[in-house]
Amino acid sequence: MQNEQEFSKAEKFWMNFKLYQLWRFIILNIKVYTIAVQSKWR
Amino acid sequence: MAKVLVIGAGFSGHTAALYLGDKIGRQHEITVISNRDVFGYVPSWVWVGVGHMKPEKTIFKLKPVYDRKNIKFVHAAAKEIHPDAGDQYVLGEEIGTGKEIRLNYDYLVIAPGPLLNFAGTPGLGPEQGFTHSICSMPHAIKARDAYLALCDRMKKGEKVKIVIGTGHPGATCQGAAFEYIVNVHKDLVKKGLRDKADILWLSNEPALGDFGVNGVQIKRNGHVLKSDEFIKAVFNDHGIRYQVQTGVTKVEEGKIHWQNYEGEEGTADFDFSMLIPQFKGQPFKYIGKDGSDISTKLVNPAGFVLVDGKYGLPYPELAQTPSAWPAQYQNPNYTNVFAAGIAFAPPGPISKPFTNKNNLAIAPAPPRTGMVSGVIGRVVAMNIIDLIKTGKMTHSERMTEMVAACVASMGDSLWDGNAVTIVMRPVVPDREKYKNEYGRDLFISHLEMGVSGAWMKFMLHYTFIWKFKALLGWKLIPE
Ligand SMILES: Cc1cc2nc3c(=O)[nH]c(=O)nc-3n(C[C@H](O)[C@H](O)[C@H](O)COP(=O)(O)OP(=O)(O)OC[C@H]3O[C@@H](n4cnc5c(N)ncnc54)[C@H](O)[C@@H]3O)c2cc1C
């Protein structure tokens, strides 16, 4: 999605493609954990 | 021995209590007073509201957790706060017996969440009005029953109108309403009933995807992608109609009255509606030594506790002043009184406020989400521990420094569920630190839709219930 107001067919494919989503899940977890845990040391 | 008293056992109060109990519970007296004897994992009430999760799965008893963590539990509703030096105590009413309870303290944490102000909009709410809410567990159960009854009507072929969003021009918590509307959509698709429902998003946000935080912006392939385009795409994809810049002013049976930015007045018809009410602070009495009302020293007119923020700045100045946001959540007049979670008074809105020609302010209040509330609970607890041990606070975190991660699920299936995952840093833009027009870290901020979000949402439910039960390794899980 780049400024249009609809998801393309390709984007919808990736949203449901489980292997890619597993990769995103791992990335997202690492991202959220690393930034959220920084807060603990304040 | 110091006495620390926490009012409320939700995201912020319970978090504060766990840290206090864990670190100093053996040497000092930590007490929690809560009007409910269970912890409620609020985000999953969205699923309760569509009948996808049993209410019991979102709660657990507090006392067994507190017994393990050296915390005293009092099942009572706090009513009065007497903060003057010499004799500082809270008066409460024991649930079940109505007996008056007096709890003395040296340090007080006020964390009772919001008063759901349905009275602020005539005809709003599940008790006195015509709309539903998912902001408490009984409300979510009532919303579920009404929604399932509506589905039965649709199964018989009836076409219905559903309106979901905010029920007051100054409401907050748009994220929860957004999650509910997409869950309703997904559930109707699964039931084969989607063509029987006209679904409308009605909200006080300045733009779609604003969520009361001035929207979310991320950098993708060299472009800045904004949440209004993203959420527009989601709604277009789902066939959900939307109307923003709208304040609900009154509800009648089957009819919502609104005004918009242009000052136009109109109505939206509904068969089922879930609208988030305005939030206010809990209506405690603040009483001085001489029996006088001293509430102006402790709370703002909406009942939120005044802390170490800079209040009264006009919006354009506030938007450029990250240091106006509180760092330690300590009341300036009573330095042993702290507020955590929704209870503290923010210095102003995050989204741009608007007043229409009829003098109606249509302005989302700043959300204090679960993560924000948990972080504040921890900061407050650590500072109280500091004060008890060394007399000097060493912890601080402003909302202009905090990260928020929200996962708005669309259906709960791990196979074909979906979710929008939103990460933003910071929650309140800091235009001094991040030199872009949004005041945010566009690399860390994240906006994505996919089935991985549904996995994330499930994981968060079980991980956070684990954490809030203070089970093995709970402190390793961020707030
Ligand atoms: C449907 C819904 C979905 C949400 N989803 C998300 C999400 O996905 N992610 C996210 O980050 N945030 C989410 N939120 C927001 C989040 O739930 C709140 O930010 C959070 O619960 C606020 O924490 P709190 O401690 O201030 O209040 P609460 O969690 O509401 O806790 C307040 C506690 O105080 C108790 N109390 C009230 N009055 C008294 C009294 N007089 N005496 C004693 N005790 C009292 C209450 O019973 C309650 O236990 C959602 C909110 C809703 C409504």
Side-chain angles (χ1 to χ4, degrees):
Chain A
M1 223 212 94
Q2 248 162 36
N3 295 332
E4 328 82 55
Q5 286 157 14
E6 254 164 54
F7 294 113
S8 66
K9 275 205 173 128
E11 280 168 326
K12 284 192 184 171
F13 170 79
W14 290 113
M15 281 174 195
N16 290 300
F17 185 55
K18 304 290 181 294
L19 212 55
Y20 173 72
Q21 287 296 317
L22 182 62
W23 162 245
R24 298 306 300 160
F25 181 71
I26 295 166
I27 294 291
L28 202 59
N29 269 294
I30 295 172
K31 195 170 179 176
V32 171
Y33 191 81
T34 46
I35 51 172
V37 91
Q38 287 169 14
S39 154
K40 291 247 184 202
W41 319 123
R42 278 180 199 271
Chain B
M1 186 189 67
K3 290 183 175 186
V4 186
L5 176 62
V6 181
I7 303 177
F11 271 65
S12 57
H14 184 62
T15 304
L18 289 186
Y19 279 100
L20 286 161
D22 187 69
K23 296 215 183 286
I24 56 166
R26 285 182 203 280
Q27 308 85 35
H28 300 278
E29 190 181 288
I30 316 298
T31 306
V32 172
I33 169 172
S34 174
N35 59 357
R36 301 192 67 214
D37 61 351
V38 291
F39 177 85
Y41 186 68
V42 183
S44 295
W45 293 344
V46 171
W47 288 338
V48 171
V50 281
H52 284 205
M53 186 171 265
K54 290 209 168 90
E56 311 84 78
K57 282 199 152 179
T58 66
I59 53 170
F60 61 83
K61 287 263 181 203
L62 288 164
K63 191 157 185 320
V65 179
Y66 289 165
D67 286 346
R68 272 192 288 118
K69 287 285 158 202
N70 309 302
I71 300 165
K72 261 175 67 183
F73 178 65
V74 177
H75 189 196
K79 298 259 179 238
E80 286 178 15
I81 297 174
H82 297 250
D84 274 338
D87 192 16
Q88 301 173 321
Y89 63 96
V90 167
L91 279 188
E93 193 180 298
E94 194 174 53
I95 305 295
T97 63
K99 213 173 79 191
E100 188 171 87
I101 289 186
R102 179 189 159 118
L103 298 163
N104 284 64
Y105 68 82
D106 299 306
Y107 296 93
L108 177 66
V109 182
I110 305 178
L115 169 82
L116 304 174
N117 186 32
F118 293 108
T121 312
L124 191 78
E127 276 137 30
Q128 317 284 325
F130 306 99
T131 59
H132 287 277
S133 148
I134 48 167
C135 296
S136 76
M137 205 170 77
H139 289 173
I141 293 169
K142 224 171 163 183
R144 173 200 66 190
D145 293 346
Y147 168 71
L148 294 178
L150 185 84
C151 290
D152 287 340
R153 280 163 57 188
M154 293 158 81
K155 279 180 197 149
K156 291 181 188 138
E158 195 178 331
K159 293 222 172 192
V160 301
K161 287 186 158 79
I162 297 175
V163 183
I164 293 168
T166 51
H168 186 277
T172 179
C173 216
Q174 291 81 4
F178 170 74
E179 194 173 350
Y180 192 61
I181 201 171
V182 287
N183 268 276
V184 165
H185 157 82
K186 184 84 182 184
D187 184 62
L188 291 176
V189 171
K190 280 216 151 173
K191 290 188 163 113
L193 298 170
R194 184 61 184 86
D195 60 325
K196 300 278 184 297
D198 172 63
I199 308 184
L200 173 69
W201 172 252
L202 190 68
S203 130
N204 60 347
E205 298 158 289
L208 263 191
D210 179 275
F211 295 128
V213 291
N214 219 7
V216 184
Q217 309 79 21
I218 62 161
K219 210 158 204 171
R220 187 182 288 174
N221 306 331
H223 290 261
V224 175
L225 172 66
K226 297 184 198 157
S227 51
D228 61 335
E229 297 153 21
F230 191 85
I231 301 301
K232 236 174 236 169
V234 172
F235 281 177
N236 287 343
D237 191 64
H238 294 1
I240 295 174
R241 294 190 302 116
Y242 47 85
Q243 179 177 335
V244 291
Q245 304 186 342
T246 302
V248 169
T249 51
K250 190 171 95 174
V251 183
E252 291 171 337
E253 191 163 8
K255 203 177 274 301
I256 295 163
H257 294 258
W258 52 256
Q259 274 192 39
N260 63 13
Y261 271 21
E262 285 72 42
E264 294 162 344
E265 297 186 12
T267 58
D269 293 340
F270 69 92
D271 296 284
F272 173 84
S273 177
M274 196 298 290
L275 298 176
I276 304 276
Q278 180 193 37
F279 288 179
K280 281 191 156 188
Q282 295 289 354
F284 297 140
K285 283 189 180 147
Y286 296 90
I287 299 171
K289 229 185 208 159
D290 56 0
S292 62
D293 174 4
I294 52 164
S295 51
T296 51
K297 285 172 135 181
L298 282 130
V299 290
N300 69 11
F304 294 115
V305 181
L306 298 165
V307 289
D308 52 321
K310 278 187 208 135
Y311 296 101
L313 294 182
Y315 178 78
E317 199 181 332
L318 176 63
Q320 302 300 330
T321 317
S323 60
W325 288 79
Q328 292 173 319
Y329 308 91
Q330 183 186 37
N331 180 264
N333 299 314
Y334 295 94
T335 53
N336 61 343
V337 174
F338 295 79
I342 291 174
F344 90 85
I350 307 171
S351 299
K352 202 168 173 210
F354 188 90
T355 302
N356 73 10
K357 64 181 186 197
N358 309 326
N359 228 3
L360 180 74
I362 303 175
R368 279 81 90 200
T369 61
M371 197 162 176
V372 166
S373 300
V375 169
I376 298 174
R378 173 171 44 75
V379 167
V380 164
M382 301 312 265
N383 278 334
I384 291 175
I385 295 165
D386 278 348
L387 287 171
I388 291 171
K389 287 190 171 166
T390 67
K392 199 166 177 289
M393 297 191 287
T394 60
H395 298 267
S396 71
E397 195 161 343
R398 301 181 196 279
M399 280 177 74
T400 47
E401 297 164 307
M402 283 182 209
V403 171
C406 292
V407 185
S409 66
M410 308 180 189
D412 55 354
S413 162
L414 291 179
W415 183 249
D416 67 350
N418 211 336
V420 174
T421 307
I422 301 169
V423 180
M424 67 192 122
R425 179 163 82 177
V427 178
V428 177
D430 178 348
R431 292 181 176 85
E432 286 175 1
K433 182 164 181 191
Y434 302 101
K435 304 277 180 209
N436 56 55
E437 65 174 294
Y438 312 106
R440 293 235 172 82
D441 181 338
L442 299 184
F443 175 71
I444 291 293
S445 295
H446 187 105
L447 194 57
E448 181 170 341
M449 184 159 113
V451 75
S452 59
W455 303 339
M456 189 89 176
K457 188 82 189 176
F458 251 92
M459 193 194 74
L460 289 180
H461 175 95
Y462 291 105
T463 312
F464 276 105
I465 287 189
W466 182 278
K467 178 186 171 73
F468 287 127
K469 282 184 177 171
L471 297 173
L472 188 69
W474 68 275
K475 276 183 284 179
L476 296 173
I477 302 167
E479 274 67 47

